[in-house]
Amino acid sequence: MKNAVGREIPVGIAGYNIAPYQGPWSCIPSRQASGGKCINVSASEKVLKSIDAAIDAVGLRDGMTISFHHHLRNGDFVMKLVVDAIARKGIRGLKVAASSLSAVQDAIMPHLEAGVIVAIDTSGIRGEIGKFVSAGKLPNPVMIRTHGGRARAVESGELPIDVAFIGAPACDRYGNINGVDGPAACGSLGYAIVDAACAEKVVAITDNLLDYPLQRISIPQTQVDFIVKVDSIGNPQGISTGSLRISTNPQELLISQYAATAIEYSGYFRNNFSLQLGSGGPSLSAAKFIKEKMQAKGITAAFGVGGITGIFVEMMEEGLVNLLFDAQSFDSRAIQSLRQNPRHLEMSASYYASPGTCGPIVNHVDAVILSATEVDINFNANVLTGSNGKLMGAPGGHPDTAAGSNLCIVALPLVRKNFPVIRESVHTIVTPGETVDVIVTDRGVAINPLRKDLIYNLKDSGLPIMQIEDLQRLAYEITGTPGPKPAGGEIVGLVEYRDGTIIDVIRKMG
Amino acid sequence: MKNAVGREIPVGIAGYNIAPYQGPWSCIPSRQASGGKCINVSASEKVLKSIDAAIDAVGLRDGMTISFHHHLRNGDFVMKLVVDAIARKGIRGLKVAASSLSAVQDAIMPHLEAGVIVAIDTSGIRGEIGKFVSAGKLPNPVMIRTHGGRARAVESGELPIDVAFIGAPACDRYGNINGVDGPAACGSLGYAIVDAACAEKVVAITDNLLDYPLQRISIPQTQVDFIVKVDSIGNPQGISTGSLRISTNPQELLISQYAATAIEYSGYFRNNFSLQLGSGGPSLSAAKFIKEKMQAKGITAAFGVGGITGIFVEMMEEGLVNLLFDAQSFDSRAIQSLRQNPRHLEMSASYYASPGTCGPIVNHVDAVILSATEVDINFNANVLTGSNGKLMGAPGGHPDTAAGSNLCIVALPLVRKNFPVIRESVHTIVTPGETVDVIVTDRGVAINPLRKDLIYNLKDSGLPIMQIEDLQRLAYEITGTPGPKPAGGEIVGLVEYRDGTIIDVIRKMG
């Protein structure tokens, strides 16, 4: 048959699926918002007047999955703005797939109660939403994922996202986005990068709409369908703390000192080692001690990974760390550094931690210091619930970096508020004991018996090393033996291990 | 049932696909080269001893599709090294999906003749391979794609790649890659970025294996399965010319001057306009005239797009162009600039030109100057074959930017070696006439009648404007009326338009 330019085109050649040409703008390939000249004379089609208009434009309807990133943390306005607008339209039965939920998201509680949202997929869950889930009021079990596991699930299609709503600190008029410029700058967009690449439709919500094209691009225009300008996407005070302070609590300093010493003697403390530090107290304080040890021995690190904080930036600026890989910027100094320093690199959650790739960067971390709500005599760690089962935390990258790193240290006090946190069995297993190498407390240090190399290396460290069971007994001596784990009711949540299997469940409480 | 940490896991919850946890490294998600601690103690597993070992490791077998990028252009050693190794193993019946084929790839002719390669998917085709295809000797019709169309086909799964072999000017021991460092630096890796993201397996071939981690990353470790170190991936002389020279041919200078004047009067020559210039003679010479006009009027461009050459870099360095977006670096000055200048940005072929995205950058190009082997009175352009049907070129980004830009100028001499290049009908339609706005020759300028705005704007430009039919008659007066288009035999190739439809076919010659 003849095509639109009059050429004879065969329609049947074995092995080829042949469609004759119909004109330069007649055939719209899938996921194509704009085909060319007919549209490109102005970029304004992507910029819509309101979130309502964007909801219409993407065809959002009952039962779909919408996603959000949590880089704006406790300052985020985007989720509430979007879900309020969806609710006003009468759309119901949605799944919210969030990279995490902060306390600020309690603002969407009315929409959980009203059935606008009936399912949640997240890393963290706490506050009123946590109570709602624990009370068995969400119609579907909540799915708890690690940062790497979520990236794996999104990229593999296991967690399909219909519409990603992306809070964009800087966005040009054709959808190029970054997180470092603007009044609500949050730094890295590591979680959002995965959603933008994989969602069926992407809507950028920005309070900083800029002329085309952006110089610095973290999420490209090719992935962004529509843009909505709002007054503000977030409260800077809630997005980042000014700068995280190192503890002056002597117990916490002792734990941090032990953790730093464990690294020093582990065998991994050598030139060009790599380090991950979280934003928790022990990690931050340990950074100070590690820094002193590095300076004393003249050792520098090839790279740091995180969750990046100001103290890590300081180490880079002082020449102690060569490169920083940043999936999430925790404070204003980290945000500023990511903006300015070419040795401070943004990475996606997939690059950070997904086990579904050819190898995330956690596989190359030598030493990481993590916290936990409780650990048990099998070295299992709980970072999601309290010992009573209350939802109050997030796996985050904990299981990912524990599995990837050469030396995973969990640092925590032996006892918190007269409750033992070294137990016979944790309430919720989030990070399996095989991946936790050393547990550091203020009263003693336990080494995983699987790690004979570490037992050998740390024997002259001067650390108060003991068996994990002895630590547990010591804790129980102080607090008394805790009662049995509450049985709980029906299943209200699933705790996914990073590889997609289910490592534990969350049951109805009370 | 109980999972590996002893927790009771339900196996049937409606809407959830539940697999109980089996241990931290037991379950390997798809496309996972390395799951964690068991492997990550050393990165050396990705680095294999030889290309032969990589072929074994990826499980390459008869009938698969292997891909290559052409950023090493006529200096590329990678394709020959890989296909030689494949042939030695007795594997046959492969499809080669190359972003383009340069003359140097004639080195794989023996493998076409022997049936190691039985299908080709490419933008450019020329030399001995072109003759082989034209003679009907390839068992399957060759598929010719545009740069944007190839990105669309790869990203949509229409062109599935089993193994991408990626020539890597710089590669660390865990597979992070860039194109700007090393003896075979080629600059942008725009085509390879798409293949690495979408291929089932990715093998990096490098002559510059570096310590982990690379600071500058164009292709991430998460996409690279294996790495092979070879002596050399390419000859720098063939990769880039030292610097492209501007013509001194008076006919070419006249054409370039006309093209620059057409831009000046088009209505798009205003502050913050955008410009694409190719590597062809008319584009390069026109750059000089455009530059003078910009300086004279005090106009600067928001960005430039390409195929980037030294003259474009010069314009950026002089402050005439704010940003450069680079899918392919044409000369050593462009490569150096991409390495050093943060306003010189690398982009993927998808970002450049794919119509399957939410909008590639070509949609925002105001003016582009292109060349062609011939054009016709319907403004159709041929950039693939001669008027006699001989395979000698490549669509490249020609149809993409013609469709995307506001002003597409095709600049060429009226007559080449006594053959008319303005014809009643081109031999092969690659770029449809509706997307070509102005045809500029040394003897006159024709404006597409669809563009009444341009006809109006250019009336006072002083350009020798005439009807396209008059240009064609003028050409025929000089050369005599050419004979009819050779009918050709069976179909040996398909010319795909960027949207996936077939715009023309290539027939057996002689």
Side-chain angles (χ1 to χ4, degrees):
Chain A
M1 64 173 295
K2 276 199 160 57
N3 70 8
V5 283
R7 297 293 160 113
E8 194 66 45
I9 304 296
V11 284
I13 294 185
Y16 294 77
N17 194 349
I18 294 180
Y21 170 74
Q22 296 165 44
W25 303 292
S26 300
C27 170
I28 310 292
S30 61
R31 204 174 194 291
Q32 174 179 14
S34 143
K37 195 160 293 184
C38 47
I39 302 184
N40 83 312
V41 287
S42 152
S44 63
E45 312 71 35
K46 280 199 185 182
V47 181
L48 302 179
K49 287 215 168 66
S50 63
I51 294 175
D52 282 66
I55 293 168
D56 293 343
V58 297
L60 189 73
R61 50 177 202 274
D62 291 3
M64 281 188 165
T65 297
I66 57 176
S67 91
F68 299 90
H69 68 73
H70 75 288
H71 293 286
L72 300 169
R73 282 170 291 274
N74 216 32
D76 178 60
F77 295 163
V78 173
M79 190 184 291
K80 177 172 160 52
L81 283 172
V82 169
V83 183
D84 282 356
I86 290 170
R88 281 196 304 270
K89 285 191 173 284
I91 297 169
R92 292 169 56 84
L94 299 178
K95 179 191 285 186
V96 164
S99 54
S100 202
L101 295 171
S102 304
V104 68
Q105 308 307 357
D106 281 349
I108 65 164
M109 274 304 299
H111 307 307
L112 290 169
E113 282 159 356
V116 176
I117 296 164
V118 297
I120 295 176
D121 193 299
T122 182
S123 184
I125 192 159
R126 37 177 78 84
E128 294 304 313
I129 298 179
K131 283 184 204 161
F132 187 83
V133 166
S134 283
K137 292 182 181 167
L138 195 71
N140 301 283
V142 69
M143 178 66 93
I144 304 291
R145 303 195 200 251
T146 75
H147 288 332
R150 180 177 192 274
R152 179 200 57 72
V154 172
E155 291 183 341
S156 68
E158 195 176 305
L159 172 56
I161 297 169
D162 293 300
V163 187
F165 291 94
I166 295 184
C171 183
D172 70 32
R173 302 186 67 85
Y174 210 52
N176 294 297
I177 293 170
N178 77 49
V180 297
D181 298 319
C186 59
S188 175
L189 290 176
Y191 308 113
I193 288 168
V194 174
D195 291 18
C198 299
E200 273 299 307
K201 295 282 178 187
V202 175
V203 178
I205 311 285
T206 191
D207 53 10
N208 187 24
L209 187 62
L210 300 167
D211 282 345
Y212 185 83
L214 224 55
Q215 176 173 348
R216 184 189 180 111
I217 299 169
S218 297
I219 293 172
Q221 63 182 45
T222 45
Q223 297 172 349
V224 177
D225 295 273
F226 299 107
I227 302 158
V228 178
K229 168 93 162 64
V230 296
D231 290 338
S232 174
I233 62 167
N235 172 3
Q237 262 71 48
I239 294 169
S240 69
T241 54
S243 77
L244 294 169
R245 293 265 299 284
I246 291 173
S247 174
T248 53
N249 174 332
Q251 184 200 41
E252 195 165 298
L253 288 176
L254 185 64
I255 296 169
S256 302
Q257 214 162 0
Y258 286 166
T261 301
I263 291 175
E264 181 183 6
Y265 283 83
S266 66
Y268 299 110
F269 192 64
R270 58 194 174 219
N271 224 14
N272 288 323
F273 81 118
S274 58
L275 186 64
Q276 178 167 355
L277 297 170
S279 59
S283 257
L284 279 176
S285 313
K288 178 178 163 289
F289 297 113
I290 293 167
K291 196 174 142 175
E292 287 166 9
K293 290 178 192 297
M294 289 172 74
Q295 285 164 331
K297 297 212 175 180
I299 283 174
T300 58
F303 63 97
V305 171
I308 299 296
T309 55
I311 189 157
F312 231 156
V313 169
E314 193 177 290
M315 288 168 79
M316 178 171 67
E317 288 172 356
E318 290 174 4
L320 291 172
V321 176
N322 188 38
L323 297 175
L324 290 179
F325 287 82
D326 190 343
Q328 185 173 7
S329 315
F330 277 120
D331 58 26
S332 53
R333 184 158 183 192
I335 295 167
Q336 193 181 6
S337 166
L338 181 64
R339 187 193 298 118
Q340 296 175 343
N341 194 327
R343 292 192 290 116
H344 188 153
L345 309 176
E346 186 175 28
M347 67 176 164
S348 73
S350 178
Y351 191 94
Y352 168 39
S354 170
T357 69
C358 298
I361 199 168
V362 292
N363 287 9
H364 274 267
V365 168
D366 281 320
V368 60
I369 301 175
L370 300 169
S371 56
T373 56
E374 49 169 3
V375 295
D376 70 23
I377 55 172
N378 294 312
F379 288 79
N380 296 314
N382 177 11
V383 286
L384 179 63
T385 68
S387 296
N388 56 4
K390 185 183 172 189
L391 287 162
M392 55 191 290
H398 199 284
D400 300 306
T401 188
S405 61
N406 286 321
L407 170 64
C408 170
I409 297 172
V410 172
L412 74 182
L414 191 69
V415 169
R416 277 197 193 105
K417 295 182 185 165
N418 213 31
F419 288 101
V421 296
I422 317 279
R423 299 202 165 216
E424 247 184 278
S425 174
V426 290
H427 188 281
T428 310
I429 301 180
V430 172
T431 299
E434 285 155 277
T435 65
V436 173
D437 301 306
V438 179
I439 290 172
V440 171
T441 74
D442 48 318
R443 297 295 293 274
V445 172
I447 304 171
N448 192 321
L450 293 170
R451 294 300 301 267
K452 304 206 186 318
D453 58 331
L454 292 174
I455 293 169
Y456 179 84
N457 290 341
L458 294 180
K459 69 180 162 32
D460 300 322
S461 64
L463 289 171
I465 292 169
M466 52 184 80
Q467 299 297 310
I468 185 81
E469 292 81 1
D470 295 331
L471 271 181
Q472 176 244 313
R473 272 191 292 271
L474 200 54
Y476 285 14
E477 276 168 23
I478 297 167
T479 62
T481 299
K485 172 180 165 176
E490 61 186 281
I491 290 172
V492 298
L494 298 166
V495 183
E496 188 189 78
Y497 190 60
R498 61 200 298 255
D499 62 6
T501 59
I502 302 301
I503 193 163
D504 210 339
V505 298
I506 302 161
R507 291 182 181 277
K508 188 171 168 179
M509 274 175 62
Chain B
M1 63 173 295
K2 277 199 160 55
N3 71 8
V5 283
R7 297 293 160 112
E8 194 65 44
I9 304 296
V11 285
I13 295 186
Y16 294 77
N17 194 350
I18 294 181
Y21 170 73
Q22 298 165 44
W25 303 291
S26 299
C27 170
I28 309 293
S30 63
R31 204 173 194 288
Q32 175 179 16
S34 141
K37 196 160 291 185
C38 50
I39 300 183
N40 83 315
V41 289
S42 151
S44 63
E45 314 70 34
K46 280 199 185 183
V47 181
L48 302 180
K49 288 217 167 65
S50 64
I51 293 175
D52 281 65
I55 293 168
D56 293 344
V58 296
L60 189 73
R61 50 177 202 275
D62 291 3
M64 282 188 165
T65 297
I66 57 176
S67 91
F68 299 91
H69 69 73
H70 75 289
H71 293 286
L72 300 169
R73 281 171 289 272
N74 216 34
D76 177 60
F77 295 164
V78 173
M79 189 183 292
K80 177 173 160 53
L81 283 171
V82 169
V83 182
D84 282 356
I86 290 170
R88 280 196 304 270
K89 286 192 172 284
I91 297 169
R92 292 167 57 83
L94 299 178
K95 179 192 283 188
V96 165
S99 54
S100 201
L101 295 170
S102 305
V104 68
Q105 307 308 358
D106 281 349
I108 64 165
M109 274 303 299
H111 307 305
L112 291 169
E113 280 158 357
V116 176
I117 295 163
V118 297
I120 295 176
D121 194 300
T122 183
S123 184
I125 192 160
R126 35 177 77 85
E128 293 304 314
I129 299 179
K131 283 184 202 160
F132 187 82
V133 167
S134 283
K137 292 182 180 167
L138 195 70
N140 300 284
V142 69
M143 178 66 92
I144 304 291
R145 303 196 201 250
T146 75
H147 289 332
R150 181 177 191 273
R152 179 200 58 72
V154 171
E155 291 183 342
S156 69
E158 195 177 305
L159 172 57
I161 297 169
D162 293 299
V163 187
F165 291 94
I166 295 183
C171 183
D172 70 32
R173 301 186 68 84
Y174 211 52
N176 294 297
I177 292 171
N178 77 48
V180 296
D181 299 317
C186 60
S188 174
L189 290 176
Y191 308 113
I193 287 169
V194 174
D195 290 18
C198 301
E200 273 299 307
K201 296 282 179 187
V202 174
V203 178
I205 311 286
T206 190
D207 52 10
N208 186 25
L209 188 61
L210 299 167
D211 283 344
Y212 186 82
L214 223 55
Q215 175 173 349
R216 182 185 182 118
I217 299 169
S218 298
I219 292 172
Q221 63 182 44
T222 45
Q223 297 172 348
V224 177
D225 293 273
F226 299 107
I227 302 158
V228 178
K229 168 93 160 67
V230 297
D231 290 337
S232 174
I233 61 167
N235 173 3
Q237 261 72 49
I239 294 170
S240 68
T241 53
S243 77
L244 293 169
R245 293 266 299 286
I246 292 172
S247 174
T248 53
N249 174 331
Q251 184 200 38
E252 196 165 296
L253 288 176
L254 184 63
I255 295 169
S256 303
Q257 213 162 359
Y258 286 167
T261 301
I263 290 176
E264 182 183 5
Y265 282 85
S266 66
Y268 299 109
F269 191 64
R270 57 191 177 220
N271 223 14
N272 288 322
F273 81 117
S274 58
L275 186 63
Q276 177 167 356
L277 297 170
S279 60
S283 257
L284 280 175
S285 312
K288 178 178 166 288
F289 296 114
I290 293 167
K291 195 174 143 178
E292 288 167 8
K293 289 178 194 297
M294 289 172 75
Q295 285 164 328
K297 298 213 175 179
I299 283 174
T300 60
F303 63 97
V305 171
I308 299 296
T309 55
I311 189 157
F312 232 156
V313 169
E314 192 178 289
M315 288 169 78
M316 178 171 66
E317 289 172 355
E318 290 173 5
L320 291 172
V321 176
N322 187 38
L323 297 175
L324 290 179
F325 287 82
D326 189 344
Q328 185 174 7
S329 316
F330 276 119
D331 58 27
S332 54
R333 185 159 182 191
I335 295 168
Q336 193 182 3
S337 167
L338 181 64
R339 187 193 297 119
Q340 297 175 342
N341 195 327
R343 293 193 289 116
H344 188 153
L345 308 175
E346 185 175 27
M347 66 176 165
S348 73
S350 178
Y351 191 95
Y352 169 39
S354 170
T357 69
C358 297
I361 199 168
V362 292
N363 288 9
H364 274 268
V365 168
D366 281 319
V368 59
I369 301 175
L370 301 169
S371 56
T373 56
E374 49 169 2
V375 294
D376 69 23
I377 54 171
N378 295 312
F379 288 79
N380 295 314
N382 177 11
V383 286
L384 179 63
T385 68
S387 296
N388 56 4
K390 185 183 173 189
L391 287 162
M392 55 190 289
H398 199 284
D400 299 306
T401 190
S405 61
N406 286 319
L407 170 63
C408 170
I409 298 172
V410 172
L412 73 183
L414 190 71
V415 169
R416 275 196 194 105
K417 293 182 187 164
N418 213 33
F419 288 101
V421 296
I422 318 279
R423 299 204 164 213
E424 249 185 276
S425 172
V426 288
H427 189 279
T428 310
I429 301 181
V430 172
T431 299
E434 284 154 279
T435 65
V436 173
D437 301 306
V438 179
I439 290 172
V440 170
T441 74
D442 48 319
R443 298 296 293 275
V445 172
I447 304 172
N448 192 320
L450 293 171
R451 295 301 301 269
K452 303 208 188 315
D453 58 330
L454 291 175
I455 293 169
Y456 180 82
N457 290 341
L458 294 181
K459 69 181 162 32
D460 300 323
S461 64
L463 289 171
I465 292 168
M466 51 184 81
Q467 299 298 310
I468 184 80
E469 293 82 1
D470 294 331
L471 272 181
Q472 175 244 312
R473 270 190 293 271
L474 199 56
Y476 285 16
E477 275 169 24
I478 297 167
T479 63
T481 300
K485 173 181 163 174
E490 61 186 283
I491 290 172
V492 298
L494 298 166
V495 183
E496 188 190 77
Y497 190 60
R498 61 198 299 253
D499 63 7
T501 60
I502 301 301
I503 194 164
D504 211 338
V505 297
I506 303 162
R507 292 182 179 276
K508 187 171 167 179
M509 274 175 62

